[in-house]
Amino acid sequence: PLRRRAVTGPRIAIASCRSLPEWEADDAPLIARLGEQGAVTETIPWDAPDAAWSDFDACLIRTTWDYAERRDDFVAWAERVEARTKLFNPASVVTWNTHKGYLRELEAAGVPLIDTVWVLFGSAGGATDPGKCAELPNTKPSRRASCAAMVSGL
């Protein structure tokens, strides 16, 4: 009798963070759907030192929520992973997107944004307490503005 070898679908790494809270379930439907399509997924912290990214057919960036504190490390990671497998989104997009100044570029190009208050760290009327906001310069404008409002009473 002929033996058929089990055919497995693509292996996809789901890049996440180490401290992903248990309540976070947004990826569950995606992982289930990928599985229905024959993909094999594994959720891995982006900064896992022993991750073998080249063992995967692709890497999908999802819940890498701690990148803001280590943006340079994250961008370097994206470049390394992209050299080993298909990265969604490409490292060039990761570099552009992880500094939230890209939103101003989109706004200048006519892309509508949600109402945004741009308050830069150390600006007049902005946040001046480094202990309160120094960790937020590249994060979402709403978080930066919220922090600035909290510190300066805007």
Side-chain angles (χ1 to χ4, degrees):
L2 293 174
R3 290 189 177 177
R4 290 187 164 225
R5 192 176 72 137
V7 177
T8 60
R11 292 195 66 216
I12 301 173
I14 308 292
S16 189
C17 61
R18 290 179 188 274
S19 59
L20 191 64
E22 288 184 30
W23 54 259
E24 203 304 303
D26 288 348
D27 289 347
L30 169 68
I31 291 169
R33 183 70 175 142
L34 288 170
E36 290 169 10
Q37 297 300 310
V40 177
T41 62
E42 185 176 343
T43 301
I44 306 171
W46 67 269
D47 58 350
D50 58 345
W53 302 105
S54 58
D55 289 352
F56 294 91
D57 298 298
C59 177
L60 176 62
I61 298 172
R62 289 291 299 159
T63 48
T64 55
W65 296 338
D66 58 349
Y67 79 83
E69 292 84 22
R70 297 173 38 214
R71 179 180 179 262
D72 292 343
D73 292 339
F74 185 67
V75 168
W77 166 82
E79 291 168 351
R80 284 191 311 274
V81 171
E82 185 175 61
R84 291 169 173 79
T85 191
K86 177 79 173 170
L87 181 63
F88 295 99
N89 286 327
S92 61
V93 173
V94 170
T95 301
W96 177 67
N97 180 258
T98 54
H99 187 287
K100 296 311 174 185
Y102 85 94
L103 291 168
R104 286 193 164 196
E105 291 178 38
L106 292 175
E107 184 178 49
V111 176
L113 300 181
I114 61 168
D115 291 338
T116 303
V117 176
W118 296 99
V119 180
L120 300 178
F121 180 77
S123 64
T128 57
D129 182 344
K132 302 281 186 182
C133 293
E135 73 278 12
L136 298 176
N138 297 321
T139 57
K140 295 179 181 177
S142 60
R143 288 179 67 194
R144 187 178 330 140
S146 297
C147 185
M150 177 181 68
V151 172
S152 65
L154 288 177

